[in-house]
Amino acid sequence: MGEDKARRPAGERVRGERSLLLGVGISAIGIGMYVPFSLVFFHHVTGLSFAVVGVVLTVTGLAGLAVMPLAGSAVDRFGARKVNLLLYAIRALGFALYPLADTLPAFAAVALVTALADRSFPVVQQSLIGEVARGSSRDRLQASIRALQNAGMGAGALIVSGVLAVWGTAGFTHTAWGNAVAFALAGMLVARVKPVRDASTSAAAGSAGPPPAGYRMVLADRPFLGLTAANFLTALGYSALSVLFPLYIATWLNGPDSLTGAAFTVNTALCAGAGVLIASRVRRSGARRTRSAALGALLFAAAFVGQIVLGTVRPGRTATLIALLVIVVVYTVGELVHSPSGGALSVSAAPEAVRGRYLATYQLSYSLASALAPSLFTALLSVDGRLPWAVLTVAALGAALALTRLERRLPAEAVYAVPPAATATPTPAPIPRESVAGAA
């Protein structure tokens, strides 16, 4: 009984959790109303040509990547909750102004400010999870947020389809204002979330010592950089479904475009419907976060090997459809196993005082992978349709190996959602982090 009481706080409900999740779902609906139609959306809202819109979105998106480190610093200085609310406000204002930005300078200005908020948001949201939750609650929130994001984006795409069917292209303007309302409402809901205040937090806040080191501390933390590098390898696999899959079907398998639609439908439905259940099973198994994340990477590798076999055998259309759907199921289960554990692992491995900077560095692994994926995949695909899947297989296996090897070098509170009784005594922090923090 005493052990149960000791473990219970690690997975307790977050204050304002329902408001947080509802806000995430509502903002995801807003995202789903414009992301699938981004070029068309902004073309009709602003009246500018597709070429101009494309250039502006590319340039502002790259600028958004450049300010991610600043977002991490802002989180450490002002707190994730405050910065999160500011980003919601900026996104709401940006979409409210899009219908009025009918000139190139106006559109570029609004798009730039909105892109800065959009690119920084994942860093801040991950930091917010670390700020409001402890222990296994972080894993649960990671899984719930991912499920709601998938469900919300699917719902948003359906909503905008209905809006366009009723109002035609004029519906894009209504959609922009709907997005503004969605982000504003999400911000008001997230404002009800309360950060966790425990003994360690209070002690850190009340200490009179020197401020913690900044990005120098991150760059000196080799275990965390190893974790970030491992995530980059896995993140390449996350880009496969949206970038490589459609090209592979069309050019190597000579399949219809409907197969891509079927794959996306299966992936979205499983993420929305089974994400929380699978993450809960993993969490209850007591698996270390490093090992469950490694298992997710191994499932990715199995799906990629399946694509190589399918591309070699090339069966008939019906058999290809069945095989592709099985592969997508394996891939999606890998995603659902890896994502909550990997996310909670990165949040918990980051020292609280500089969590924003750590997570900004970690998030760059996703951004870099998504930026490199199109050129990398198309170059490999031009040589042989199976080659990109072979590279992804090696990358996923490398990520799984790296995660297991890093296990001993990461803090125990990061590896374990709930520390086992055998590790109840304090575990020394990794040497690089201690030495740098002490010298700061």
Side-chain angles (χ1 to χ4, degrees):
M1 177 70 76
E3 181 180 337
D4 290 340
K5 287 182 179 179
R7 292 187 178 194
R8 193 175 302 155
E12 64 185 2
R13 306 295 285 185
V14 173
R15 294 178 62 190
E17 180 173 332
R18 291 182 179 179
S19 296
L20 170 63
L21 296 178
L22 183 57
V24 167
I26 291 174
S27 64
I29 292 174
I31 294 170
M33 287 195 292
Y34 80 92
V35 165
F37 313 94
S38 55
L39 284 175
V40 178
F41 176 90
F42 290 114
H43 165 70
H44 286 290
V45 169
T46 64
L48 299 172
S49 68
F50 287 112
V52 170
V53 170
V55 170
V56 170
L57 292 181
T58 299
V59 172
T60 56
L62 292 174
L65 290 178
V67 302
M68 285 174 61
L70 296 179
S73 299
V75 165
D76 294 334
R77 183 179 180 88
F78 302 107
R81 179 176 171 273
K82 292 180 180 179
V83 180
N84 185 278
L85 296 178
L86 175 62
L87 296 186
Y88 270 129
I90 293 174
R91 296 163 95 189
L93 179 62
F95 277 94
L97 292 177
Y98 269 128
L100 307 177
D102 54 359
T103 65
L104 177 57
F107 172 59
V110 176
L112 176 61
V113 174
T114 308
L116 299 183
D118 283 342
R119 293 290 185 174
S120 300
F121 191 79
V123 175
V124 179
Q125 181 159 277
Q126 286 292 94
S127 300
L128 181 64
I129 292 174
E131 192 174 276
V132 303
R134 293 288 184 268
S136 60
S137 292
R138 291 175 176 171
D139 303 70
R140 188 184 68 250
L141 279 181
Q142 293 278 355
S144 299
I145 286 173
R146 188 166 188 84
L148 283 170
Q149 285 174 334
N150 279 275
M153 290 181 67
L158 290 176
I159 290 173
V160 74
S161 298
V163 169
L164 296 178
V166 174
W167 283 290
T169 55
F172 282 116
T173 299
H174 300 294
T175 301
W177 287 328
N179 285 343
V181 172
F183 288 129
L185 182 57
M188 288 188 288
L189 287 167
V190 174
R192 301 174 64 182
V193 182
K194 303 299 181 184
V196 174
R197 297 293 180 186
D198 54 24
S200 60
T201 303
S202 301
S207 63
Y215 280 103
R216 291 182 293 108
M217 182 175 180
V218 184
L219 296 177
D221 192 339
R222 292 185 179 180
F224 191 85
L225 292 182
L227 183 64
T228 302
N231 190 68
F232 169 76
L233 297 176
T234 311
L236 286 173
Y238 275 91
S239 301
L241 188 64
S242 59
V243 179
L244 177 57
F245 202 91
L247 295 174
Y248 178 70
I249 291 177
T251 61
W252 188 257
L253 296 181
N254 296 316
D257 293 336
S258 58
L259 288 180
T260 299
F264 274 95
T265 301
V266 170
N267 176 263
T268 302
L270 282 176
C271 286
V276 175
L277 176 62
I278 291 176
S280 176
R281 292 291 178 87
V282 172
R283 191 168 64 249
R284 290 177 181 176
S285 71
R288 303 173 190 180
R289 287 170 174 151
T290 44
R291 297 188 183 184
S292 52
L295 175 59
L298 291 176
L299 289 170
F300 269 12
F304 300 150
V305 169
Q307 293 283 28
I308 296 173
V309 173
L310 180 60
T312 302
V313 177
R314 296 190 185 184
R317 177 168 294 188
T318 301
T320 297
L321 173 61
I322 295 173
L324 282 174
L325 292 181
V326 171
I327 289 171
V328 170
V329 169
V330 174
Y331 171 91
T332 305
V333 173
E335 179 181 344
L336 297 179
V337 171
H338 174 273
S339 180
S341 298
L345 181 62
S346 65
V347 172
S348 301
E352 186 168 351
V354 285
R355 183 184 291 134
R357 292 176 174 88
Y358 266 70
L359 295 181
T361 304
Y362 185 82
Q363 191 64 35
L364 282 174
S365 62
Y366 280 113
S367 300
L368 182 60
S370 61
L372 292 178
S375 58
L376 175 64
F377 293 160
T378 52
L380 295 173
L381 195 63
S382 66
V383 178
D384 189 293
R386 296 161 295 185
L387 186 56
W389 298 113
V391 171
L392 287 174
T393 300
V394 173
L397 293 175
L401 177 62
L403 285 165
T404 54
R405 290 178 66 88
L406 285 167
E407 188 173 279
R408 294 182 179 179
R409 303 184 63 193
L410 292 169
E413 63 270 19
V415 174
Y416 297 94
V418 178
T423 60
T425 56
T427 303
I431 294 176
R433 185 172 299 167
E434 283 188 346
S435 60
V436 178

